[in-house]
Each structure stands twice: as C-alpha cells, then as structure tokens.
C-alpha cells in the first residue's frame, strides 16, 4: 500500500460516490489517488488525498454504512480539513461547487478562522486556517473554558 497515507483515515459513504469524487475535487481540491471498480463499473473503493491526509470515499454497503442522505440528514462525524492559506476563498470555492455553507468563515478563540459546510449528500465538513498563534491561557480567557493538552 502507498506510504504517503497517514495513520488515521476517515471513510465516508455516499449514495453516489462517483459524484462525490467530482464535487470533493471541485470544492476542496482533493486528488483522486485510488479508484477500484467492479466488473460493471460500480465504485468498489476509492481514496482521495489532500496534503498528507487521505479520505476514503465509498458507497452505501450495509445497514450500518449509509450516507446522511439516506438517514434524514443525520451525521455521526464531521470531517475537518486544515489548510494553510485563504480560508475565505476556500469557502467560496466550496459554495460554487454546490456545498451549503452552514457557518460563514469566522475567527475562533483558539486562533483558527473556520467555516462549516454540508456537501450535496449531507456530510458536514469544517475547514480551518490558523491565523494567529494563541496560548492556552489566552484561549481559556477568551472562551471561558478550561483546556487541557494544548499543543
């Protein structure tokens, strides 16, 4: 297997995984690095890379592996993408690719500027860019939260 994959990889189910490959590339700039099809041309497995991260994109394959579109829009995970530059332009790219922006870009108490969006099948994604270094003490003071394990 490829050595560029990190130790933690998310797998996301879609009703139409081939459409997902397209809109994830258009919205986020993900690169398709593996595509496995069965004898009838149906997607059996795929992987998309972003930087040194990977997400598996697949179809609905059991009662426990469904798209939010098949579950009344319910999500059991949110996938986060950390980028280095221009989160506002990234947001506009996602919007243009058909993603619903559910939280416009805003700077958070921990120093990241983030936005939240929903893809055409209902998966929720967050995207963040660090815009200022913030100490644990500064984050606690700004948020009123007690924070452990600040890196």
């Amino acid at each position: 297997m490829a050595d560029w994959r990190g130790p933690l990889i998310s797998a996301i189910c879609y009703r139409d995984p081939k459409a997902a490959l397209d809109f994830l590339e258009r919205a986020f700039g993900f690169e398709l690095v593996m595509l496995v099809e069965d004898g009838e041309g149906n997607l059996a497995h795929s992987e998309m890379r972003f930087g040194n991260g990977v997400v598996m994109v697949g179809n609905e394959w059991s009662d426990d592996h469904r798209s939010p579109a098949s579950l009344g829009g319910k999500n059991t995970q949110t996938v986060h993408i950390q980028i280095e530059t221009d989160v506002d332009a990234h947001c506009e790219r996602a919007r243009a690719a058909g993603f619903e922006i559910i939280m416009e870009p805003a700077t958070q108490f921990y120093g990241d500027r983030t936005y939240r969006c929903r893809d055409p099948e209902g998966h929720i994604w967050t995207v963040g860019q660090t815009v200022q270094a913030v100490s644990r003490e500064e984050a606690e003071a700004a948020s009123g939260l007690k924070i452990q394990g600040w890196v």
Side-chain angles (χ1 to χ4, degrees):
M1 221 13 110
D3 62 356
W4 46 262
R5 297 188 311 170
L8 181 63
I9 301 171
S10 185
I12 305 174
C13 297
Y14 287 92
R15 284 182 179 171
D16 187 349
K18 286 188 175 180
L21 297 175
D22 178 59
F23 62 65
L24 292 171
E25 178 182 356
R26 286 185 294 116
F28 298 145
F30 288 3
E31 173 190 6
L32 180 65
V33 293
M34 182 186 295
L35 177 66
V36 180
E37 296 176 315
D38 65 18
E40 294 155 6
N42 298 310
L43 187 139
H45 177 79
S46 71
E47 295 182 10
M48 299 188 88
R49 179 172 46 194
F50 182 77
N52 60 2
V54 174
V55 63
M56 296 178 187
V57 175
N59 57 21
E60 298 180 320
W61 55 276
S62 79
D63 286 342
D64 293 325
H65 297 88
R66 295 277 183 231
S67 165
S70 296
L71 302 171
K74 302 297 183 214
N75 277 262
T76 60
Q77 70 173 354
T78 297
V79 182
H80 181 79
I81 305 165
Q82 190 69 22
I83 63 174
E84 294 183 12
T85 59
D86 208 348
V87 72
D88 293 273
H90 195 279
C91 178
E92 291 310 312
R93 178 179 178 168
R95 189 186 322 270
F99 282 54
E100 173 192 1
I101 306 305
I102 55 180
M103 185 190 88
E104 294 290 336
T107 302
Q108 308 300 319
F109 68 89
Y110 47 87
D112 281 9
R113 186 163 175 80
T114 64
Y115 76 92
R116 213 170 25 250
C117 59
R118 186 182 327 270
D119 73 28
E121 285 207 21
H123 291 283
I124 296 174
W125 298 78
T126 63
V127 181
Q129 172 195 355
T130 301
V131 294
Q132 71 181 73
V134 175
S135 71
R136 187 190 72 200
E137 294 78 17
E138 290 169 322
E140 286 180 335
S143 67
L145 301 171
K146 180 171 175 46
I147 301 170
Q148 297 181 22
W150 192 261
V151 182

